[in-house]
């Protein structure tokens, strides 16, 4: 079972639909500006290396998934860890 690392911020889930709406608005704005600039088919030929999938992937990876900090408790111990120190000595 998952539990939130900071449940006091649970109300911030409201921000996710706002982020999605802003992203969709900016994508539509980009498309409108390209149509205003010229013929979309001609512009597609002039911009062969433009990726239309990359901004979508980056949005969901950074913005949506980054909003949630889920913590399942696995791998976390309550015992203090001992830090080891390594000394490197150069000899001639």
């Amino acid at each position: 079972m998952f539990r939130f690392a900071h449940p006091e911020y649970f109300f911030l889930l409201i921000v996710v639909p706002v982020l999605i709406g802003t992203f969709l608005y900016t994508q539509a704005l980009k498309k409108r500006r390209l149509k205003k600039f010229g013929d979309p088919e001609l512009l597609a030929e002039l911009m062969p290396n433009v990726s239309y999938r990359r901004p979508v992937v980056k949005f969901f990876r950074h913005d949506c998934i980054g909003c949630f900090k889920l913590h399942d408790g696995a791998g976390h111990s309550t015992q203090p860890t001992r830090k080891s120190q390594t000394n490197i000595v150069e000899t001639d």
Side-chain angles (χ1 to χ4, degrees):
M1 177 141 168
F2 290 106
R3 56 189 165 148
F4 282 95
H6 301 284
E8 61 271 11
Y9 298 124
F10 190 66
F11 69 92
L12 289 176
L13 289 176
I14 297 169
V15 173
V16 174
V18 173
L19 288 174
I20 292 172
T22 304
F23 174 74
L24 293 175
Y25 175 72
T26 57
Q27 290 297 99
L29 194 62
K30 283 182 193 178
K31 187 179 265 189
R32 232 182 293 148
R33 286 182 180 166
L34 279 176
K35 282 183 183 179
K36 186 178 179 182
F37 191 67
D39 182 33
E41 293 175 8
L42 177 63
L43 290 174
E45 291 177 16
L46 293 173
M47 304 182 306
N49 294 329
V50 172
S51 173
Y52 294 104
R53 189 180 310 158
R54 186 170 183 242
V56 176
V57 171
K58 284 180 71 174
F59 170 74
F60 282 106
R61 185 177 59 210
H62 292 288
D63 294 340
C64 285
I65 296 174
C67 286
F68 305 107
K69 187 174 181 178
L70 295 176
H71 174 71
D72 63 354
H76 297 283
S77 66
T78 57
Q79 299 174 356
T81 58
R82 182 177 178 209
K83 295 182 181 180
S84 63
Q85 187 174 16
T86 306
N87 293 330
I88 298 175
V89 179
E90 184 178 321
T91 60
D92 292 331

